[in-house]
Amino acid sequence: SNTVTNITGGGNITGITIGSTVNTATSLSISNNIINNLSSTGGSVTGIRSSNPSPVINITNNTINTLSSPGVDAAMNGILITAATAVNISKNKIYDISGNQTATTVNGISITAGTSFNIFNNLVGDLRATAATGLNAISGINANGTSSYNVYYNTVYLDAASTSVTTFGTSCITFSTTIASFNSRNNI
């Protein structure tokens, strides 16, 4: 376990990154970490990012909170997966992620590519994009790509507001029309 805290900068900031060429033949675990107080004045902020195609990746029991990007349109993500084979994302607590520009997007868990994902027993909340104008500016769990998803027993609480009264929108769980399969059960 690690603690990554109190990082401020002017570009993109990520608490923990698992790159695409590191240890691709064996299973990986990212667990029991505390990632908080990351802030960028000029880029995106992500708690955990993985683009690794290892056979199995387990991201479990992490606390990710207080990520912010004031002053720039940015993508804010608690957990971001951009490539994977099989991923289990479980028992993570993700909260207090914010941005304050019109094109800001905020995701508790965001997946853009991979084969199969089991997302279960996560707690996601307090996601904010206070000036966003996007129709889906905030998503608790954002599932994209052509992957297969099992999304079970997650708690997502959104109580967000924006100064844009005509186009701002949020979703607890979002999935694209291109995914292979999507099973969602017992989420609140």
Side-chain angles (χ1 to χ4, degrees), residues 124 127 136 138-142 156-158 170-174 188:
V124 178
L127 308 179
N136 200 31
I138 297 175
S139 294
I141 299 171
N142 191 356
V156 178
Y157 179 75
L158 300 180
T170 66
S171 297
C172 289
I173 300 174
T174 299
I188 56 172

Side-chain angles (χ1 to χ4, degrees), residues 137-186:
I138 297 175
S139 294
I141 299 171
N142 191 356
N144 289 291
T146 57
S147 310
S148 296
Y149 292 91
N150 295 307
V151 182
Y152 303 139
Y153 304 107
N154 297 287
T155 300
V156 178
Y157 179 75
L158 300 180
D159 185 22
S162 172
T163 55
S164 171
V165 295
T166 58
T167 59
F168 175 71
T170 66
S171 297
C172 289
I173 300 174
T174 299
F175 60 94
S176 71
T177 59
T178 60
I179 61 176
S181 66
F182 190 84
N183 297 309
S184 177
R185 301 190 196 301
N186 298 311

Side-chain angles (χ1 to χ4, degrees), residues 11-34:
N12 295 336
I13 296 173
T14 301
I16 296 174
T17 300
I18 306 299
S20 61
T21 60
V22 177
N23 199 30
T24 59
T26 61
S27 298
L28 297 174
S29 290
I30 305 167
S31 59
N32 302 312
N33 298 290
I34 298 170

Side-chain angles (χ1 to χ4, degrees), residues 50-118:
S50 177
S51 58
N52 192 290
S54 289
V56 176
I57 297 174
N58 296 304
I59 301 173
T60 186
N61 237 11
N62 299 288
T63 300
I64 302 167
N65 66 287
T66 317
L67 310 181
S68 65
S69 186
V72 65
D73 289 325
M76 309 294 296
N77 297 288
I79 296 172
L80 174 62
I81 309 295
T82 60
T85 301
V87 178
N88 299 305
I89 301 172
S90 66
K91 301 178 184 175
N92 298 289
K93 185 175 182 181
I94 302 167
Y95 64 97
D96 190 15
I97 301 175
S98 65
N100 65 1
Q101 299 299 305
T102 58
T104 294
T105 58
V106 178
N107 298 291
I109 299 169
S110 181
I111 295 151
T112 61
T115 305
S116 67
F117 295 90
N118 297 307

